[in-house]
């Protein structure tokens, strides 16, 4: 049994990102939201495209207005109005000004903008009531970005702000990594689908639905392979198929030490290398992590396929996904940084208990109280078989090995359950 931190290190060391040469696809900008950029982007455009005004006011020559005041205003002749999107026709001469609006092109001859609140206009004359700073309210061409240099690096997730930048840079298409493919199946004779009538002793397979939703949220593509009975032949067939179509395989159930838990034996028969058999955590102790040789994976990338044999209990499935699988999916997706789990130190609203023997995860919800985040433990039992009180939770409180009690208002470390 390995520690949680060692398990995380082992898993992330096993994961290799998708290949920049083979695993990319070209998509339209509108389809690029939440995708991972595979190739750095440059633009032939400067930002700003030209010198422009950051304020509604008057474009002037600084030397004309540098001594202006309310007591002794400078009077200038207005020779042109320049709205945004208009190409100035005049060159500003001594004792001249142009009325200008935010975003409009600075006319030739002008080097400074006086905001309108510090002026008074009378017909075609403007009175400058305060001296501006040199080049005040002028946004200079290429001061934000110089054409031909890197605009966005590869390996970032494209969110709304990046999409806006790319649109402004006139990038209609982008090279992004393909979505990682994650095969999912559940094991157990006791499992039935949500359409089937429940018989005594049977359990509805919620794990497959939960994992599919989590995989989608992570930006990967779930490949659902259904329920597999506790039969070695059937299991071997499904695992071999999963290995043939996916980058990551997730199974739930069948990885403990029961008489019908065949997964580990089948993995070994298929030449997988098992790196983890159990983890020092609660819930989630029975976790198998294995890799398959590159030659057995047809996925066009230079990596071995990663297999997660997750526990069968539904809460344990979710906890182990958040703790280990999600970081692996993020790293394989091509993101260059930020795949590690995100922890916060917050205040606990409730008393939190553990036996201290294993790193313990208790689910609940974060509340912002007087500007400070506070963890509220979910009501009811935090049993690995209790899926019900996991609904509407967004954080896991972590009690390390040896820690048996956290008092109300004491600091606790929590894992945020966001896939972003």
């Amino acid at each position: 049994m390995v520690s949680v931190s060692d398990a995380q290190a082992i898993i992330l060391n096993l994961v290799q990102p998708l290949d920049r040469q083979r695993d990319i696809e070209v998509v339209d900008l509108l389809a690029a939201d939440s995708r991972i950029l595979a190739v750095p982007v440059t633009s032939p455009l400067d930002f700003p495209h030209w010198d422009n005004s950051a304020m509604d006011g008057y474009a002037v020559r600084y030397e004309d207005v540098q001594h202006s005041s309310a007591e002794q205003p400078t009077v200038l002749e207005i020779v042109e109005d320049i709205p945004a999107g208009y190409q100035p026709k005049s060159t500003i001469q001594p004792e001249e000004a142009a009325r200008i609006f935010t975003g409009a092109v600075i006319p030739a001859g002008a080097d400074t903008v006086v905001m309108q609140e510090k002026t008074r206009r009378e017909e075609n004359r403007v009175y400058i009531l305060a001296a501006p700073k040199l080049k005040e309210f002028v946004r200079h061409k290429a001061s934000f970005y110089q054409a031909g240099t890197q605009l966005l690096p590869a390996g970032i997730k494209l969110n709304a702000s990046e999409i806006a930048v790319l649109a402004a840079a006139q990038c209609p298409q982008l090279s992004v990594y393909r979505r990682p493919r994650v095969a999912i199946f559940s094991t157990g004779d006791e499992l039935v689908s949500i359409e089937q009538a429940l018989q005594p002793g049977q359990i509805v397979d919620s794990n497959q639905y939960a994992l599919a939703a989590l995989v989608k949220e992570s930006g990967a593509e779930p490949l659902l392979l259904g329920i597999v009975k506790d039969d070695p032949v059937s299991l071997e067939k499904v695992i071999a198929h999963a290995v043939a179509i996916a980058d990551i395989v997730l199974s739930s159930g069948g990885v403990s030490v029961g008489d019908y838990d065949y997964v580990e034996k089948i993995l070994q028969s298929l030449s997988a290398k098992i790196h983890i058999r159990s983890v020092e955590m609660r819930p989630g102790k029975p976790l198998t992590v294995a890799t398959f040789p590159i030659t057995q994976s047809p996925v066009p990338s230079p990596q071995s396929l990663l297999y997660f044999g997750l526990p069968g209990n539904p809460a344990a499935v979710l906890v182990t996904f958040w703790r280990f699988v999600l970081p692996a999916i993020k790293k394989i997706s091509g993101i260059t940084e930020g795949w590690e789990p995100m922890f916060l130190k917050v205040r606990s609203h409730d008393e939190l208990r553990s036996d201290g023997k294993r790193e313990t995860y208790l689910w609940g919800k974060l509340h912002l109280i007087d500007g400070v985040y506070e963890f509220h433990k979910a009501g009811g039992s935090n049993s690995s078989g209790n899926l019900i009180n996991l609904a509407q939770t967004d954080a896991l409180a972590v009690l390390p090995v040896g820690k048996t009690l956290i008092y109300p208002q004491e600091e606790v470390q929590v894992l945020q359950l966001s896939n972003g």
Side-chain angles (χ1 to χ4, degrees):
M1 187 161 57
V2 301
S3 70
V4 173
S5 59
D6 285 348
Q8 175 182 304
I10 291 169
I11 291 167
L12 290 179
N13 284 336
L14 292 172
V15 177
Q16 295 300 318
L18 294 173
D19 186 80
R20 189 175 293 182
Q21 301 300 319
R22 305 177 185 179
D23 295 319
I24 63 174
E25 56 191 25
V26 177
V27 299
D28 292 338
L29 182 58
L30 285 175
D33 182 46
S34 298
R35 301 299 296 271
I36 309 302
L37 189 62
V39 177
V41 174
T42 61
S43 173
L45 301 175
D46 290 315
F47 286 86
H49 309 318
W50 46 75
D51 289 357
N52 70 90
S53 177
M55 188 70 64
D56 289 352
Y58 293 87
V60 301
R61 292 163 18 108
Y62 176 74
E63 62 185 286
D64 288 338
V65 300
Q66 59 183 315
H67 302 301
S68 303
S69 67
E71 294 77 21
Q72 292 185 316
T74 301
V75 183
L76 304 175
E77 181 185 359
I78 301 170
V79 296
E80 188 173 16
D81 280 7
I82 308 174
Y86 173 81
Q87 179 63 43
K89 302 294 191 296
S90 303
T91 296
I92 303 303
Q93 303 295 333
E95 299 182 2
E96 290 182 347
R99 177 74 167 116
I100 197 165
F101 297 88
T102 303
V105 177
I106 300 293
D111 58 11
T112 301
V113 172
V114 181
M115 62 189 299
Q116 63 184 19
E117 290 84 355
K118 295 182 179 180
T119 67
R120 184 178 77 251
R121 181 169 182 170
E122 293 182 3
E123 297 180 348
N124 69 332
R125 292 180 299 176
V126 61
Y127 291 73
I128 309 300
L129 305 178
K133 297 177 181 177
L134 177 63
K135 301 181 180 180
E136 190 168 25
F137 300 124
V138 175
R139 294 185 292 221
H140 292 281
K141 179 182 179 181
S143 59
F144 301 161
Y145 168 79
Q146 186 174 4
T149 61
Q150 181 172 284
L151 181 64
L152 292 176
I156 62 170
K157 185 176 181 180
L158 298 173
N159 294 314
S161 56
E162 289 79 21
I163 296 296
V165 168
L166 292 164
Q170 295 186 318
C171 298
Q173 293 186 317
L174 301 164
S175 294
V176 298
Y177 287 106
R178 65 172 176 81
R179 297 184 187 277
R181 295 185 283 264
V182 182
I184 303 167
F185 64 92
S186 303
T187 68
D189 291 338
E190 74 280 13
L191 299 178
V192 296
S193 69
I194 61 174
E195 297 88 2
Q196 292 178 260
L198 205 58
Q199 301 298 321
Q202 292 183 328
I203 301 171
V204 177
D205 175 25
S206 63
N207 289 346
Q208 193 160 188
Y209 291 89
L211 289 172
L214 289 167
V215 167
K216 282 185 180 179
E217 290 173 10
S218 73
E221 178 187 357
L223 308 173
L224 302 184
L225 302 183
I227 298 170
V228 185
K229 298 300 182 183
D230 287 323
D231 169 62
V233 176
S234 299
L235 275 171
E236 183 170 349
K237 182 178 179 181
V238 170
I239 292 174
H241 176 58
V243 170
I245 63 173
D247 302 291
I248 294 176
V249 177
L250 306 179
S251 68
S252 62
V255 291
S256 62
V257 292
D259 292 339
Y260 298 97
D261 295 333
Y262 304 114
V263 170
E264 185 171 320
K265 295 178 181 178
I266 293 170
L267 293 177
Q268 291 173 329
S269 72
L270 293 173
S271 301
K273 180 178 180 180
I274 298 176
H275 302 271
I276 298 173
R277 289 178 169 83
S278 63
V279 181
E280 194 176 11
M281 66 185 293
R282 174 175 290 155
K285 175 185 173 183
L287 173 69
T288 297
V289 178
T291 52
F292 284 82
I294 296 173
T295 54
Q296 291 186 237
S297 176
V299 176
S301 63
Q303 62 184 52
S304 56
L305 180 139
L306 191 59
Y307 181 98
F308 289 91
L310 305 178
N313 283 322
V317 166
L318 292 174
V319 170
T320 50
F321 182 94
W322 284 318
R323 190 62 184 83
F324 300 119
V325 181
L326 179 57
I329 292 176
K330 285 183 176 181
K331 185 175 180 182
I332 200 175
S333 71
I335 296 176
T336 53
E337 61 182 5
W339 2 273
E340 298 89 348
M342 181 180 294
F343 292 95
L344 294 176
K345 287 186 177 180
V346 305
R347 189 171 59 201
S348 179
H349 175 268
D350 306 293
E351 182 176 279
L352 307 178
R353 289 185 173 273
S354 164
D355 63 9
K357 295 178 181 179
R358 284 180 272 160
E359 188 165 299
T360 300
Y361 292 77
L362 304 173
W363 43 95
K365 193 171 182 65
L366 290 175
H367 293 268
L368 193 59
I369 309 294
D370 297 328
V372 177
Y373 276 111
E374 194 172 81
F375 176 79
H376 290 234
K377 180 175 172 287
S381 167
N382 265 223
S383 163
S384 62
N386 183 9
L387 180 63
I388 302 303
N389 68 345
L390 262 164
Q392 300 184 67
T393 58
D394 60 10
L396 297 173
V398 184
L399 278 69
V401 175
K403 185 73 171 180
T404 59
L405 177 63
I406 290 178
Y407 292 101
Q409 304 307 305
E410 188 179 346
E411 191 177 72
V412 63
Q413 183 171 260
V414 300
L415 172 63
Q416 286 187 293
L417 306 184
S418 170
N419 287 331

